[in-house]
Amino acid sequence: MKITPKKKIHATITVPGDKSISHRSIMIGALAKGTTEIEGFLMGEDCLSTISCFQKLGILIEQQKDKIIVYGKGLHGLTAPTEILDVGNSGTTLRLISGILSAQPFFSHLTGDASIQKRPMERIAVPLRQMGAVLKSNSDKLFAPFTIEGNALKGITYALPMASAQVKSAILLAGLFAKGETIVIEPEPTRDHTEIMLRYMGADIQKIGNEIHCKPVSELYAHKIVVPADISSAAYFIVLGCICENSEIVLKNVGINQTRTGIIDALIAMGAHIHIENETIINGEKTGDIIVTSSQLHGTTIGGAEIPRLIDEIPVLAVAACFAQGTTIIKDAQELKVKESNRIKTIITELKKFGANIAETDDGMIIQGGTPLKGCTVESYQDHRIAMAMAIAGMCASGQTEITGAECVTISFPNFFELLNKKL
Ligand code: S3P
């Protein structure tokens, strides 16, 4: 994909639906009694993998015009798959579905692509085994491909060793089926879409301080779900609006759940002109229009509890930091090493090709902003967020940029380049 820099962008954009909420709408819809109608579903590869896995578990899922319809069969309606469940590139699918499959009275075999096979699954195996499930792979620590022998589970109290919404969600989904209460203790708050949607569909979930309590219920009940636009996809255009001169970009109906808005807070702390209008709440999720105008950014330090609130936006935040005056430090972000690529390494390697002054640390990076970026050839490592972050860098660099392996944006944002090249 070739990127030609643009000056003076004025646009109103609706980015596709939230990936995290789309996954959950299929999974929780499948476990609910009745028909779940989903509007704004993200038709990206990762969410299509979730649909395909639940179809293999006996759930009828249809597309009707621009809606997805899930014919849920209730909490105990899944049936044994006759094929291997393939999650493709999707860590969220694999970790969350494992929580559900741990409680089923059948055996499942799971796999995924080369990247998923390198991502740590021991983090879900430890609590799910404590609940009574049997998860096995060919290695000491659990990696895909692996098998799950479901069981009658018991509730546990589990303190997460790392802030992870995926691990939290796997345990809570298993907890729906367990005997007794399940309690997850978080070191820092992470995205709470699972809790919000489960409660909306009738589960007994409560947040008490940093603990999430899930008590078993006899059924969940289907309700219509409207998926807001994904703030993680909006983030590319939010940063672009900040770093491109004489510009204004409006992003419509974006999910602004406060566990996800770290990118907005970080950019505002860097001097960005961002404001939100038309706030409303739909199926328990806050949404709004985000308006961003060109801003002279300055460096900042980001770490601790801010990290889970912007973990997926760090690649594009690093691009923003290249255009900020002074130093930006990103710390406590070691989780980046186990994403679709080792994002500490891939961000740094690729931004250096543009001439950025950026250095690796143990748990993040240090960026000296203000050096003008020069267009170049970069690669995606088949990591969608690296491809899109590099496209934003290319939009504000001098000369042309070429991204190899750019087609991987279909994982989370199939029309990204169309919006970037035609709409702006
Ligand atoms: C996600 C949680 C985050 C995030 C991922 C999606 C989710 O991962 O990075 O892209 O939908 O729950 P962790 O919870 O493992 O940090």
Side-chain angles (χ1 to χ4, degrees):
M1 181 60 63
K2 288 196 170 67
I3 305 287
T4 307
K6 282 203 181 108
K7 292 211 167 79
K8 223 177 161 185
I9 299 168
H10 283 259
T12 297
I13 295 171
T14 305
V15 301
D18 188 279
K19 181 152 85 72
S20 295
I21 298 176
S22 294
H23 283 301
R24 286 154 173 86
S25 68
I26 299 295
M27 298 186 182
I28 299 173
L31 297 179
K33 212 173 163 158
T35 305
T36 296
E37 200 182 291
I38 310 164
E39 229 175 77
F41 184 83
L42 168 64
M43 297 298 270
E45 299 288 338
D46 270 10
C47 299
L48 297 179
S49 294
T50 296
I51 291 187
S52 133
C53 288
F54 278 83
Q55 285 171 331
K56 288 179 184 164
L57 291 163
I59 302 296
L60 177 62
I61 302 170
E62 283 179 346
Q63 187 175 354
Q64 286 179 10
K65 292 191 191 141
D66 51 358
K67 286 188 186 139
I68 296 288
I69 316 286
V70 182
Y71 297 91
K73 296 209 296 194
L75 260 188
H76 302 282
L78 299 182
T79 49
T82 52
E83 285 168 77
I84 295 184
L85 303 172
D86 188 343
V87 304
N89 190 247
S90 178
T92 307
T93 310
L94 187 54
R95 295 203 176 103
L96 270 60
I97 207 173
S98 295
I100 296 171
L101 295 175
S102 288
Q104 303 307 312
F106 52 74
F107 187 86
S108 311
H109 195 154
L110 295 122
T111 193
D113 70 6
S115 147
I116 218 76
Q117 295 188 23
K118 286 197 222 122
R119 298 182 65 186
M121 293 298 143
E122 191 66 15
R123 51 179 64 194
I124 52 162
V126 170
L128 294 174
R129 283 177 186 141
Q130 280 179 23
M131 295 176 87
V134 181
L135 295 92
K136 283 187 191 154
S137 68
N138 275 337
S139 45
D140 208 22
K141 295 228 152 70
L142 194 78
F143 286 96
F146 61 85
T147 58
I148 302 180
E149 205 181 306
N151 233 327
L153 304 184
K154 60 173 195 301
I156 56 166
T157 296
Y158 189 75
L160 292 173
M162 78 293 286
S164 167
Q166 295 182 352
V167 180
K168 169 180 67 176
S169 299
I171 302 168
L172 293 176
L173 289 166
L176 288 176
F177 301 90
K179 190 158 182 268
E181 191 176 20
T182 296
I183 302 172
V184 182
I185 306 167
E186 292 195 286
E188 270 133 20
T190 64
R191 66 191 68 193
D192 58 358
H193 307 300
T194 304
E195 296 93 301
I196 290 174
M197 197 178 292
L198 280 176
R199 213 175 287 128
Y200 177 67
M201 305 282 240
D204 184 350
I205 304 262
Q206 275 190 65
K207 182 154 203 256
I208 305 169
N210 61 345
E211 296 180 357
I212 300 109
H213 293 236
C214 172
K215 289 195 185 129
V217 288
S218 53
E219 271 309 350
L220 300 178
Y221 296 96
H223 282 294
K224 179 177 172 172
I225 294 170
V226 179
V227 181
D230 197 329
I231 189 162
S232 297
S233 299
Y236 303 99
F237 294 95
I238 297 174
V239 168
L240 183 61
C242 289
I243 64 180
C244 187
E245 282 172 17
N246 305 312
S247 299
E248 180 181 272
I249 301 181
V250 179
L251 293 137
K252 300 292 288 180
N253 293 321
V254 181
I256 47 169
N257 175 322
Q258 61 142 2
T259 62
R260 297 285 299 281
T261 45
I263 181 68
I264 295 179
D265 296 344
L267 288 168
I268 289 175
M270 294 170 82
H273 305 302
I274 298 175
H275 70 277
I276 297 177
E277 285 176 3
N278 300 324
E279 283 187 31
T280 148
I281 293 183
I282 188 134
N283 36 263
E285 293 284 357
K286 199 164 162 190
T287 69
D289 299 337
I290 299 174
I291 296 108
V292 50
T293 48
S294 314
S295 318
Q296 179 50 65
L297 301 180
H298 52 79
T300 189
T301 297
I302 297 156
E306 294 165 300
I307 296 296
R309 297 183 60 236
L310 49 62
I311 186 75
D312 293 340
E313 291 68 74
I314 292 176
V316 77
L317 188 61
V319 173
C322 292
F323 290 86
Q325 290 304 322
T327 309
T328 294
I329 301 171
I330 299 174
K331 58 182 185 180
D332 306 318
Q334 54 280 359
E335 277 295 303
L336 287 177
K337 295 179 185 171
V338 290
K339 293 294 176 190
E340 286 84 330
S341 67
N342 174 344
R343 287 185 179 156
I344 296 185
K345 286 225 170 338
T346 51
I347 294 165
I348 292 172
T349 310
E350 298 315 293
L351 282 177
K352 273 188 174 163
K353 293 180 183 168
F354 283 98
N357 187 345
I358 178 168
E360 182 173 346
T361 61
D362 264 1
D363 61 351
M365 59 197 82
I366 299 175
I367 302 149
Q368 303 290 345
T371 316
L373 300 191
K374 287 193 283 301
C376 57
T377 299
V378 286
E379 62 175 295
S380 73
Y381 304 85
Q382 290 303 312
D383 181 337
H384 53 134
R385 302 209 189 279
I386 297 298
M388 293 187 276
M390 294 312 131
I392 298 306
M395 289 289 280
C396 299
S398 59
Q400 263 213 352
T401 290
E402 201 171 316
I403 306 168
T404 59
E407 70 287 344
C408 63
V409 301
T410 52
I411 294 283
S412 65
F413 198 160
N415 62 340
F416 175 74
F417 288 112
E418 210 178 294
L419 287 179
L420 202 66
N421 291 332
K422 298 208 185 113
K423 180 98 194 201
L424 302 185

